[in-house]
Amino acid sequence: MVDSVSYLASALLLNLIRTPGAQAPQPRTKTRMRTQIAEGLRFVFRHRTLRSLALATGISNFVGLGGALRAVLTAYALRDLKLSPGELGLALTVGNCGALLGATLSSRLIRTVGLGPVLIAAKSMSGIAVILLATAAPARAVPTLIATTGIMACGITVYNIGQVSLRQAITPTGMQARMNASVRFAIWGTLPIGALAGGYLGSVLGTRPTLWMIAAIGLLSCLPLILTPDVRTLRVFPVQAAE
């Protein structure tokens, strides 16, 4: 019910926006779905900035909360850290307040530090958080899990605000839908694969060694951004791409 009310509030707030939007593109000649999918994929993976964002996000999703980490987190918290289900739920609930902090700070950080460095730093926060989680002990499990979840939620929120806005800014209006669909296919397609890999490695190697692997891969997910000068040196959002 609360979720439904939030959508209603969003619709009302959008209706209050009086800034004129971009002119709607002219209707395109009807093309086959396969052609449009190919156009979107070509546009994303031939564009250096979009390609680096897709690679970085796809890698981090592979090992993140929707992927490998999801498969081992509950078992690690309940078996290794000896938490009760109630303590685990409480820690995750409190920690996820970090998302609110990230949403509040994102604009200020981008203005102060620059968009590129903020994206790289925010992307690295998940790997750092998992290192903290991997070193947890039962005696300090709850505060460690709260800190871990808070750091991850804050970093993910700041990164997503920045990268989604950047994608929209550098994509022509007529290509927005195909770009978004192609990027989501690339970055969400790694989630089930990561969950499968995390569950397998957790059962074979154990949860704590798997967490160390997740942390290492999470930190390496920054490399596509670091190695792309168009992202690394970016200070502000580019002007909206022309049609």
Side-chain angles (χ1 to χ4, degrees):
M1 183 180 295
V2 173
D3 203 23
S4 299
V5 172
S6 74
Y7 281 113
L8 178 60
S10 297
L12 294 174
L13 291 172
L14 285 172
N15 191 53
L16 296 176
I17 296 175
R18 294 293 179 258
T19 305
Q23 185 176 1
Q26 296 298 319
R28 301 174 67 244
T29 304
K30 188 174 182 179
T31 56
R32 299 179 63 183
M33 177 72 72
R34 184 184 305 173
T35 302
Q36 295 186 45
I37 292 173
E39 289 173 352
L41 290 172
R42 280 197 302 268
F43 178 77
V44 168
F45 288 100
R46 288 179 179 177
H47 195 294
R48 287 186 300 182
T49 299
L50 291 175
R51 183 173 62 243
S52 67
L53 290 172
L55 288 173
T57 311
I59 294 171
S60 63
N61 280 355
F62 176 80
V63 295
L65 283 172
L69 183 57
R70 167 176 286 188
V72 300
L73 178 58
T74 302
Y76 176 71
L78 299 182
R79 291 191 320 194
D80 296 65
L81 300 183
K82 311 300 182 184
L83 291 178
S84 68
E87 290 173 328
L88 173 59
L90 177 63
L92 294 177
T93 300
V94 175
N96 273 305
C97 292
L100 299 176
L101 178 63
T104 303
L105 295 179
S106 59
S107 297
R108 185 177 301 176
L109 288 172
I110 291 170
R111 288 195 304 268
T112 304
V113 182
L115 178 58
V118 166
L119 287 175
I120 294 171
K123 176 52 61 187
S124 69
M125 288 175 67
S126 291
I128 295 172
V130 178
I131 292 176
L132 179 63
L133 181 63
T135 61
R140 49 184 172 86
V142 172
T144 301
L145 190 54
I146 290 174
T148 297
T149 308
I151 293 170
M152 293 187 69
C154 182
I156 290 170
T157 302
V158 172
Y159 176 77
N160 281 338
I161 289 173
Q163 65 98 3
V164 172
S165 301
L166 176 58
R167 279 163 36 197
Q168 293 173 341
I170 60 180
T171 301
T173 302
M175 185 61 71
Q176 289 277 352
R178 283 168 287 170
M179 175 278 296
N180 198 43
S182 299
V183 170
R184 289 188 175 193
F185 170 77
I187 66 178
W188 289 356
T190 61
L191 294 174
I193 302 173
L196 178 63
Y200 175 76
L201 292 174
S203 62
V204 173
L205 302 178
T207 53
R208 201 179 294 266
T210 301
L211 287 175
W212 284 110
M213 294 180 63
I214 289 172
I217 297 173
L219 291 174
L220 289 176
S221 69
C222 299
L223 282 180
L225 305 179
I226 296 172
L227 297 177
T228 305
D230 294 349
V231 177
R232 185 180 67 245
T233 61
L234 194 60
R235 306 300 298 180
V236 297
F237 288 103
V239 178
Q240 178 70 39
E243 178 62 38

mmCIF file of all heavy atoms in Angstrom, residues 179-211:
data_model
loop_
_atom_site.group_PDB
_atom_site.id
_atom_site.type_symbol
_atom_site.label_atom_id
_atom_site.label_comp_id
_atom_site.label_asym_id
_atom_site.label_seq_id
_atom_site.Cartn_x
_atom_site.Cartn_y
_atom_site.Cartn_z
ATOM 1 N N MET A 179 18.763 2.365 -25.863
ATOM 2 C CA MET A 179 19.959 2.389 -25.020
ATOM 3 C C MET A 179 19.665 1.797 -23.654
ATOM 4 O O MET A 179 20.399 0.940 -23.145
ATOM 5 C CB MET A 179 20.457 3.831 -24.886
ATOM 6 C CG MET A 179 21.641 4.018 -23.934
ATOM 7 S SD MET A 179 21.199 4.141 -22.167
ATOM 8 C CE MET A 179 20.244 5.660 -22.140
ATOM 9 N N ASN A 180 18.573 2.244 -23.043
ATOM 10 C CA ASN A 180 18.243 1.787 -21.695
ATOM 11 C C ASN A 180 17.969 0.284 -21.677
ATOM 12 O O ASN A 180 18.410 -0.432 -20.767
ATOM 13 C CB ASN A 180 17.031 2.562 -21.171
ATOM 14 C CG ASN A 180 16.891 2.470 -19.669
ATOM 15 O OD1 ASN A 180 17.857 2.569 -18.936
ATOM 16 N ND2 ASN A 180 15.677 2.280 -19.206
ATOM 17 N N ALA A 181 17.245 -0.197 -22.674
ATOM 18 C CA ALA A 181 16.953 -1.634 -22.735
ATOM 19 C C ALA A 181 18.233 -2.448 -22.903
ATOM 20 O O ALA A 181 18.401 -3.501 -22.281
ATOM 21 C CB ALA A 181 15.989 -1.913 -23.886
ATOM 22 N N SER A 182 19.149 -1.957 -23.736
ATOM 23 C CA SER A 182 20.398 -2.684 -23.984
ATOM 24 C C SER A 182 21.271 -2.704 -22.742
ATOM 25 O O SER A 182 21.855 -3.743 -22.389
ATOM 26 C CB SER A 182 21.163 -2.036 -25.144
ATOM 27 O OG SER A 182 20.407 -2.083 -26.333
ATOM 28 N N VAL A 183 21.365 -1.561 -22.054
ATOM 29 C CA VAL A 183 22.180 -1.507 -20.842
ATOM 30 C C VAL A 183 21.585 -2.406 -19.761
ATOM 31 O O VAL A 183 22.305 -3.154 -19.088
ATOM 32 C CB VAL A 183 22.304 -0.051 -20.338
ATOM 33 C CG1 VAL A 183 22.946 -0.020 -18.954
ATOM 34 C CG2 VAL A 183 23.125 0.781 -21.310
ATOM 35 N N ARG A 184 20.273 -2.370 -19.604
ATOM 36 C CA ARG A 184 19.652 -3.220 -18.584
ATOM 37 C C ARG A 184 19.833 -4.700 -18.897
ATOM 38 O O ARG A 184 20.034 -5.516 -17.996
ATOM 39 C CB ARG A 184 18.171 -2.874 -18.457
ATOM 40 C CG ARG A 184 17.920 -1.532 -17.804
ATOM 41 C CD ARG A 184 16.452 -1.316 -17.527
ATOM 42 N NE ARG A 184 16.233 -0.072 -16.792
ATOM 43 C CZ ARG A 184 15.091 0.253 -16.203
ATOM 44 N NH1 ARG A 184 14.059 -0.570 -16.268
ATOM 45 N NH2 ARG A 184 14.969 1.387 -15.562
ATOM 46 N N PHE A 185 19.766 -5.042 -20.177
ATOM 47 C CA PHE A 185 20.012 -6.435 -20.563
ATOM 48 C C PHE A 185 21.418 -6.853 -20.146
ATOM 49 O O PHE A 185 21.631 -7.955 -19.618
ATOM 50 C CB PHE A 185 19.841 -6.582 -22.075
ATOM 51 C CG PHE A 185 20.309 -7.911 -22.612
ATOM 52 C CD1 PHE A 185 19.539 -9.047 -22.457
ATOM 53 C CD2 PHE A 185 21.533 -8.015 -23.259
ATOM 54 C CE1 PHE A 185 19.974 -10.266 -22.951
ATOM 55 C CE2 PHE A 185 21.976 -9.228 -23.748
ATOM 56 C CZ PHE A 185 21.195 -10.360 -23.601
ATOM 57 N N ALA A 186 22.387 -5.963 -20.358
ATOM 58 C CA ALA A 186 23.778 -6.290 -20.047
ATOM 59 C C ALA A 186 24.033 -6.352 -18.551
ATOM 60 O O ALA A 186 24.705 -7.264 -18.066
ATOM 61 C CB ALA A 186 24.707 -5.261 -20.699
ATOM 62 N N ILE A 187 23.485 -5.399 -17.799
ATOM 63 C CA ILE A 187 23.856 -5.322 -16.383
ATOM 64 C C ILE A 187 22.964 -6.185 -15.494
ATOM 65 O O ILE A 187 23.403 -6.641 -14.434
ATOM 66 C CB ILE A 187 23.843 -3.862 -15.886
ATOM 67 C CG1 ILE A 187 22.436 -3.269 -15.894
ATOM 68 C CG2 ILE A 187 24.792 -3.017 -16.719
ATOM 69 C CD1 ILE A 187 22.369 -1.839 -15.368
ATOM 70 N N TRP A 188 21.725 -6.421 -15.899
ATOM 71 C CA TRP A 188 20.851 -7.293 -15.108
ATOM 72 C C TRP A 188 21.010 -8.753 -15.493
ATOM 73 O O TRP A 188 20.675 -9.634 -14.697
ATOM 74 C CB TRP A 188 19.392 -6.860 -15.248
ATOM 75 C CG TRP A 188 19.073 -5.571 -14.567
ATOM 76 C CD1 TRP A 188 19.927 -4.818 -13.790
ATOM 77 C CD2 TRP A 188 17.833 -4.873 -14.585
ATOM 78 N NE1 TRP A 188 19.288 -3.687 -13.338
ATOM 79 C CE2 TRP A 188 17.996 -3.690 -13.808
ATOM 80 C CE3 TRP A 188 16.605 -5.108 -15.191
ATOM 81 C CZ2 TRP A 188 16.974 -2.772 -13.630
ATOM 82 C CZ3 TRP A 188 15.583 -4.180 -15.002
ATOM 83 C CH2 TRP A 188 15.764 -3.037 -14.229
ATOM 84 N N GLY A 189 21.512 -9.005 -16.685
ATOM 85 C CA GLY A 189 21.700 -10.388 -17.107
ATOM 86 C C GLY A 189 22.755 -11.118 -16.297
ATOM 87 O O GLY A 189 22.780 -12.359 -16.250
ATOM 88 N N THR A 190 23.635 -10.355 -15.614
ATOM 89 C CA THR A 190 24.672 -10.996 -14.803
ATOM 90 C C THR A 190 24.159 -11.419 -13.426
ATOM 91 O O THR A 190 24.829 -12.187 -12.727
ATOM 92 C CB THR A 190 25.862 -10.045 -14.604
ATOM 93 O OG1 THR A 190 25.420 -8.860 -13.908
ATOM 94 C CG2 THR A 190 26.468 -9.634 -15.943
ATOM 95 N N LEU A 191 22.975 -10.938 -13.024
ATOM 96 C CA LEU A 191 22.483 -11.229 -11.667
ATOM 97 C C LEU A 191 22.251 -12.719 -11.424
ATOM 98 O O LEU A 191 22.775 -13.268 -10.443
ATOM 99 C CB LEU A 191 21.203 -10.432 -11.401
ATOM 100 C CG LEU A 191 21.352 -8.911 -11.338
ATOM 101 C CD1 LEU A 191 19.985 -8.246 -11.217
ATOM 102 C CD2 LEU A 191 22.233 -8.503 -10.164
ATOM 103 N N PRO A 192 21.475 -13.424 -12.253
ATOM 104 C CA PRO A 192 21.262 -14.846 -11.970
ATOM 105 C C PRO A 192 22.537 -15.668 -12.096
ATOM 106 O O PRO A 192 22.721 -16.647 -11.358
ATOM 107 C CB PRO A 192 20.206 -15.263 -13.009
ATOM 108 C CG PRO A 192 20.312 -14.262 -14.100
ATOM 109 C CD PRO A 192 20.709 -12.981 -13.435
ATOM 110 N N ILE A 193 23.414 -15.266 -13.020
ATOM 111 C CA ILE A 193 24.683 -15.992 -13.167
ATOM 112 C C ILE A 193 25.530 -15.818 -11.906
ATOM 113 O O ILE A 193 26.140 -16.765 -11.399
ATOM 114 C CB ILE A 193 25.445 -15.502 -14.411
ATOM 115 C CG1 ILE A 193 24.583 -15.682 -15.669
ATOM 116 C CG2 ILE A 193 26.760 -16.249 -14.570
ATOM 117 C CD1 ILE A 193 25.182 -15.070 -16.914
ATOM 118 N N GLY A 194 25.557 -14.580 -11.390
ATOM 119 C CA GLY A 194 26.313 -14.327 -10.165
ATOM 120 C C GLY A 194 25.749 -15.075 -8.973
ATOM 121 O O GLY A 194 26.496 -15.592 -8.144
ATOM 122 N N ALA A 195 24.417 -15.131 -8.867
ATOM 123 C CA ALA A 195 23.800 -15.857 -7.753
ATOM 124 C C ALA A 195 24.155 -17.342 -7.816
ATOM 125 O O ALA A 195 24.448 -17.974 -6.787
ATOM 126 C CB ALA A 195 22.292 -15.663 -7.786
ATOM 127 N N LEU A 196 24.133 -17.905 -9.020
ATOM 128 C CA LEU A 196 24.494 -19.311 -9.185
ATOM 129 C C LEU A 196 25.956 -19.540 -8.809
ATOM 130 O O LEU A 196 26.286 -20.490 -8.080
ATOM 131 C CB LEU A 196 24.244 -19.740 -10.631
ATOM 132 C CG LEU A 196 24.609 -21.184 -10.983
ATOM 133 C CD1 LEU A 196 23.753 -22.162 -10.189
ATOM 134 C CD2 LEU A 196 24.423 -21.424 -12.486
ATOM 135 N N ALA A 197 26.841 -18.645 -9.282
ATOM 136 C CA ALA A 197 28.268 -18.783 -8.975
ATOM 137 C C ALA A 197 28.517 -18.616 -7.476
ATOM 138 O O ALA A 197 29.313 -19.357 -6.882
ATOM 139 C CB ALA A 197 29.073 -17.758 -9.767
ATOM 140 N N GLY A 198 27.849 -17.651 -6.849
ATOM 141 C CA GLY A 198 28.039 -17.439 -5.423
ATOM 142 C C GLY A 198 27.580 -18.626 -4.599
ATOM 143 O O GLY A 198 28.247 -19.028 -3.642
ATOM 144 N N GLY A 199 26.430 -19.190 -4.960
ATOM 145 C CA GLY A 199 25.951 -20.362 -4.234
ATOM 146 C C GLY A 199 26.888 -21.544 -4.385
ATOM 147 O O GLY A 199 27.162 -22.268 -3.411
ATOM 148 N N TYR A 200 27.411 -21.748 -5.597
ATOM 149 C CA TYR A 200 28.320 -22.873 -5.829
ATOM 150 C C TYR A 200 29.634 -22.685 -5.060
ATOM 151 O O TYR A 200 30.094 -23.591 -4.353
ATOM 152 C CB TYR A 200 28.597 -23.021 -7.321
ATOM 153 C CG TYR A 200 29.630 -24.080 -7.633
ATOM 154 C CD1 TYR A 200 29.306 -25.424 -7.583
ATOM 155 C CD2 TYR A 200 30.943 -23.719 -7.965
ATOM 156 C CE1 TYR A 200 30.262 -26.399 -7.847
ATOM 157 C CE2 TYR A 200 31.895 -24.676 -8.237
ATOM 158 C CZ TYR A 200 31.552 -26.018 -8.173
ATOM 159 O OH TYR A 200 32.497 -26.970 -8.438
ATOM 160 N N LEU A 201 30.231 -21.493 -5.184
ATOM 161 C CA LEU A 201 31.501 -21.252 -4.499
ATOM 162 C C LEU A 201 31.331 -21.274 -2.988
ATOM 163 O O LEU A 201 32.208 -21.759 -2.264
ATOM 164 C CB LEU A 201 32.071 -19.903 -4.946
ATOM 165 C CG LEU A 201 32.542 -19.831 -6.401
ATOM 166 C CD1 LEU A 201 32.953 -18.404 -6.763
ATOM 167 C CD2 LEU A 201 33.709 -20.791 -6.639
ATOM 168 N N GLY A 202 30.200 -20.758 -2.499
ATOM 169 C CA GLY A 202 29.965 -20.790 -1.063
ATOM 170 C C GLY A 202 29.870 -22.203 -0.527
ATOM 171 O O GLY A 202 30.327 -22.487 0.592
ATOM 172 N N SER A 203 29.286 -23.106 -1.310
ATOM 173 C CA SER A 203 29.152 -24.495 -0.854
ATOM 174 C C SER A 203 30.456 -25.263 -0.984
ATOM 175 O O SER A 203 30.700 -26.210 -0.227
ATOM 176 C CB SER A 203 28.051 -25.201 -1.652
ATOM 177 O OG SER A 203 28.392 -25.254 -3.031
ATOM 178 N N VAL A 204 31.320 -24.857 -1.935
ATOM 179 C CA VAL A 204 32.579 -25.574 -2.160
ATOM 180 C C VAL A 204 33.714 -24.993 -1.309
ATOM 181 O O VAL A 204 34.454 -25.727 -0.650
ATOM 182 C CB VAL A 204 32.951 -25.539 -3.659
ATOM 183 C CG1 VAL A 204 34.348 -26.127 -3.874
ATOM 184 C CG2 VAL A 204 31.931 -26.287 -4.481
ATOM 185 N N LEU A 205 33.856 -23.665 -1.333
ATOM 186 C CA LEU A 205 34.971 -23.020 -0.648
ATOM 187 C C LEU A 205 34.623 -22.559 0.765
ATOM 188 O O LEU A 205 35.511 -22.369 1.594
ATOM 189 C CB LEU A 205 35.448 -21.804 -1.461
ATOM 190 C CG LEU A 205 35.895 -22.065 -2.894
ATOM 191 C CD1 LEU A 205 36.279 -20.744 -3.564
ATOM 192 C CD2 LEU A 205 37.057 -23.049 -2.932
ATOM 193 N N GLY A 206 33.345 -22.342 1.005
ATOM 194 C CA GLY A 206 32.916 -21.748 2.267
ATOM 195 C C GLY A 206 32.507 -20.296 2.051
ATOM 196 O O GLY A 206 32.916 -19.660 1.078
ATOM 197 N N THR A 207 31.725 -19.773 2.964
ATOM 198 C CA THR A 207 31.185 -18.429 2.772
ATOM 199 C C THR A 207 32.247 -17.336 2.907
ATOM 200 O O THR A 207 32.260 -16.376 2.132
ATOM 201 C CB THR A 207 30.045 -18.166 3.764
ATOM 202 O OG1 THR A 207 30.505 -18.443 5.092
ATOM 203 C CG2 THR A 207 28.850 -19.037 3.451
ATOM 204 N N ARG A 208 33.138 -17.446 3.873
ATOM 205 C CA ARG A 208 34.120 -16.381 4.079
ATOM 206 C C ARG A 208 35.113 -16.282 2.920
ATOM 207 O O ARG A 208 35.354 -15.169 2.426
ATOM 208 C CB ARG A 208 34.855 -16.557 5.412
ATOM 209 C CG ARG A 208 35.501 -15.265 5.921
ATOM 210 C CD ARG A 208 36.189 -15.494 7.267
ATOM 211 N NE ARG A 208 35.263 -15.802 8.335
ATOM 212 C CZ ARG A 208 34.754 -14.886 9.165
ATOM 213 N NH1 ARG A 208 35.063 -13.609 9.018
ATOM 214 N NH2 ARG A 208 33.931 -15.247 10.137
ATOM 215 N N PRO A 209 35.708 -17.379 2.426
ATOM 216 C CA PRO A 209 36.560 -17.254 1.238
ATOM 217 C C PRO A 209 35.809 -16.700 0.024
ATOM 218 O O PRO A 209 36.374 -15.934 -0.774
ATOM 219 C CB PRO A 209 37.035 -18.688 0.995
ATOM 220 C CG PRO A 209 36.945 -19.356 2.318
ATOM 221 C CD PRO A 209 35.743 -18.756 2.981
ATOM 222 N N THR A 210 34.553 -17.072 -0.103
ATOM 223 C CA THR A 210 33.764 -16.549 -1.215
ATOM 224 C C THR A 210 33.577 -15.044 -1.084
ATOM 225 O O THR A 210 33.610 -14.312 -2.080
ATOM 226 C CB THR A 210 32.392 -17.249 -1.276
ATOM 227 O OG1 THR A 210 32.590 -18.657 -1.428
ATOM 228 C CG2 THR A 210 31.570 -16.736 -2.446
ATOM 229 N N LEU A 211 33.403 -14.565 0.150
ATOM 230 C CA LEU A 211 33.279 -13.123 0.368
ATOM 231 C C LEU A 211 34.548 -12.390 -0.043
ATOM 232 O O LEU A 211 34.482 -11.284 -0.612
ATOM 233 C CB LEU A 211 32.952 -12.830 1.834
ATOM 234 C CG LEU A 211 31.531 -13.163 2.295
ATOM 235 C CD1 LEU A 211 31.397 -12.922 3.797
ATOM 236 C CD2 LEU A 211 30.511 -12.306 1.546
#
